[in-house]
Amino acid sequence: MSAKPESAAPAGTTKKFGKGERQVPHSSQKAKRFYPAEDSQPKKVRKTIKPAKPRGSLQPGTILILLAGRFRGKRVILLKHLEQGVLLVTGPFKVNGVPLRRVNARYVIATSQRVDLKGVDSATVEKVGQAGYFTAEKKKEKASEEAFFKQGEKPEKKQVTSARANDQKAVDKALLSSIKNEQYLLEYLRSTFSLRKGDRPHEMKW
């Protein structure tokens, strides 16, 4: 049985224009006048979101130096690694006034000094580390005549809930007992870090 010959492309037509002739291609061979605005195949995203990998020096119990924020220069104790590279730290509050809070791992210096976290209640730390624990409840104040005249007054003092105060005391109680067992550690946490003229941070041992 003989093979079928391949179908040839449709031939164009020859048209006369005045004295000359012109070969007009077939409609199937003509270039398209319009093209789709977007590619038919979507581009594949090669980059994947990877979980934040903490530095090796950021271990629970390590004393850190805060480099930014309200408490910059303060020394705090690392309690736990949270999601997206955030760290859960505490002063403790009774020592240097730093409460339980989240800090970015990029803005801390890890020191070689560590505190034993043996007596700290893990359930309380897990509770504080939850995503909605630090969500601030913002009051929605309607624009009124009374609000307009209160603009120059001092803002109301933020009141800490009793639940958060109890969590702070539960965590700090175990830490204070460990801190007092080591000589000069209490004074070290109370002191504030700062650089003076002539200091060389790259030559310092943390």
Side-chain angles (χ1 to χ4, degrees):
M1 191 173 175
S2 60
K4 292 182 180 179
E6 293 181 3
S7 58
T13 57
T14 305
K15 290 187 178 182
K16 290 184 179 181
F17 295 93
K19 294 181 180 180
E21 293 182 353
R22 184 178 174 184
Q23 188 75 16
V24 180
H26 191 263
S27 60
S28 61
Q29 297 176 345
K30 288 182 181 180
K32 294 180 180 180
R33 291 184 65 186
F34 302 100
Y35 294 91
E38 296 179 0
D39 297 333
S40 55
Q41 294 181 353
K43 293 182 179 179
K44 293 181 180 179
V45 180
R46 294 183 180 178
K47 292 182 180 179
T48 55
I49 300 171
K50 296 179 181 179
K53 188 178 180 181
R55 283 178 279 168
S57 58
L58 298 176
Q59 298 298 326
T62 306
I63 295 178
L64 311 177
I65 299 172
L66 302 181
L67 300 178
R70 179 184 169 190
F71 299 101
R72 60 181 175 273
K74 296 280 188 179
R75 292 179 171 89
V76 295
I77 300 170
L78 173 59
L79 297 175
K80 187 186 176 185
H81 291 275
L82 302 181
E83 295 177 359
Q84 299 176 352
V86 181
L87 309 174
L88 178 64
V89 299
T90 184
F93 182 76
K94 200 172 181 180
V95 176
N96 53 21
V98 182
L100 286 163
R101 61 188 288 110
R102 297 172 297 178
V103 295
N104 195 321
R106 295 180 180 181
Y107 303 108
V108 298
I109 296 175
T111 65
S112 57
Q113 189 67 36
R114 292 192 180 183
V115 178
D116 188 14
L117 302 179
K118 212 170 186 179
V120 179
D121 187 13
S122 58
T124 307
V125 175
E126 288 290 334
K127 176 187 171 185
V128 175
Q130 291 178 2
Y133 185 84
F134 291 97
T135 306
E137 297 178 0
K138 295 182 180 180
K139 296 179 181 179
K140 296 180 180 180
E141 295 183 0
K142 295 182 180 179
S144 61
E145 222 175 288
E146 189 179 350
F148 176 78
F149 287 107
K150 282 186 177 180
Q151 286 181 359
E153 295 180 9
K154 291 182 180 179
E156 294 180 5
K157 192 176 180 181
K158 188 178 178 182
Q159 293 182 353
V160 181
T161 58
S162 58
R164 288 188 66 171
N166 292 335
D167 293 337
Q168 182 74 58
K169 289 176 183 177
V171 174
D172 289 358
K173 186 178 180 181
L175 289 173
L176 285 168
S177 59
S178 300
I179 291 167
K180 288 176 181 178
N181 290 336
E182 292 194 34
Q183 194 177 13
Y184 306 122
L185 186 56
L186 190 66
E187 289 77 10
Y188 177 70
L189 287 168
R190 281 176 178 166
S191 62
T192 304
F193 171 78
S194 62
L195 290 173
R196 297 179 182 178
K197 188 177 180 181
D199 288 344
R200 299 178 179 179
H202 58 284
E203 294 182 358
M204 293 181 179
K205 291 184 179 180
W206 306 100

